[in-house]
Amino acid sequence: DGGITQSPKYLFRKEGQNVTLSCEQNLNHDAMYWYRQDPGQGLRLIYYSQIVNDFQKGDIAEGYSVSREKKESFPLTVTSAQKNPTAFYLCASSTWTEETQYFGPGTRLLVL
Amino acid sequence: AQKVTQAQTEISVVEKEDVTLDCVYETRDTTYYLFWYKQPPSGELVFLIRRNSFDEQNEISGRYSWNFQKSTSSFNFTITASQVVDSAVYFCALSAAEYGNKLVFGAGTILRVKS
């Protein structure tokens, strides 16, 4: 089955710790995205990548980092510089940036 | 100014009622795309529809229908004969060159359908 997988479903972060959220897709999509969702709010774009080894900052990139070494994978690292990381993180992919984005099941990050 | 406005924060209806979710957008581009997504309690966003700005035909898919009106910059979503399984958060989104062809989301509307 084609789709987008995210792991883990829940992630706990301690103060000063970096954590990495996984996103994998087998849809052969070129573009991948990371969004953050806070309660009662819409989605905000963190980073996106249109092609392997290239990525751009979205609206709220501070405190986050990404890599795109393979077409299928777009991991997101929440660094210790992100002071308010508690949120629901959604990964998406599309054939190209103008096309429909399809979303993964999300990762909920909580701070201990 | 909000690029995508979903003025209804929360709507509650009784099963079998019809319900319309409003979406108003803002862009100077003549070519753009509008989307609706459903987010059930599980959290995953489910794609419902994509409409380009040159296609103003209303669309119907089962109990779902969409009314696109460029004159009022609106792209409203109606669920006919609502069911409990329709309970979710619904997001309207816009993609336009003015915004870098990235999706701009509204704040979402929580729909609660009671049995």
Side-chain angles (χ1 to χ4, degrees), chain B residues 19-115:
Chain B
V19 58
T20 295
L21 309 181
D22 298 332
C23 174
V24 174
Y25 61 91
E26 180 183 330
T27 180
R28 294 169 297 188
D29 291 339
T30 55
T31 301
Y32 51 89
Y33 300 90
L34 295 162
F35 301 81
W36 275 96
Y37 286 88
K38 173 182 180 180
Q39 186 177 40
S42 61
E44 181 173 350
L45 258 72
V46 177
F47 166 71
L48 296 178
I49 190 169
R50 174 179 184 257
R51 174 54 54 88
N52 77 57
S53 52
F54 294 107
D55 183 3
E56 286 195 73
Q57 259 194 328
N58 289 335
E59 180 152 343
I60 299 174
S61 176
R63 296 184 298 106
Y64 294 170
S65 62
W66 290 270
N67 184 323
F68 176 30
Q69 294 199 345
K70 287 178 78 169
S71 59
T72 56
S73 297
S74 64
F75 187 44
N76 297 338
F77 172 32
T78 297
I79 302 174
T80 303
S82 60
Q83 300 175 2
V84 173
V85 292
D86 295 327
S87 297
V89 183
Y90 290 87
F91 290 97
C92 180
L94 165 69
S95 173
E98 180 182 1
Y99 307 126
N101 290 316
K102 300 187 287 288
L103 276 185
V104 177
F105 284 86
T109 296
I110 301 170
L111 175 63
R112 302 189 198 279
V113 182
K114 303 174 186 175
S115 59

Side-chain angles (χ1 to χ4, degrees), chain A residues 37 45 97-98 100-101 103, chain B residues 37 39 50 91 101-102:
Chain A
Q37 185 180 21
L45 183 64
T97 51
E98 293 182 0
T100 300
Q101 293 183 23
F103 286 80
Chain B
Y37 286 88
Q39 186 177 40
R50 174 179 184 257
F91 290 97
N101 290 316
K102 300 187 287 288

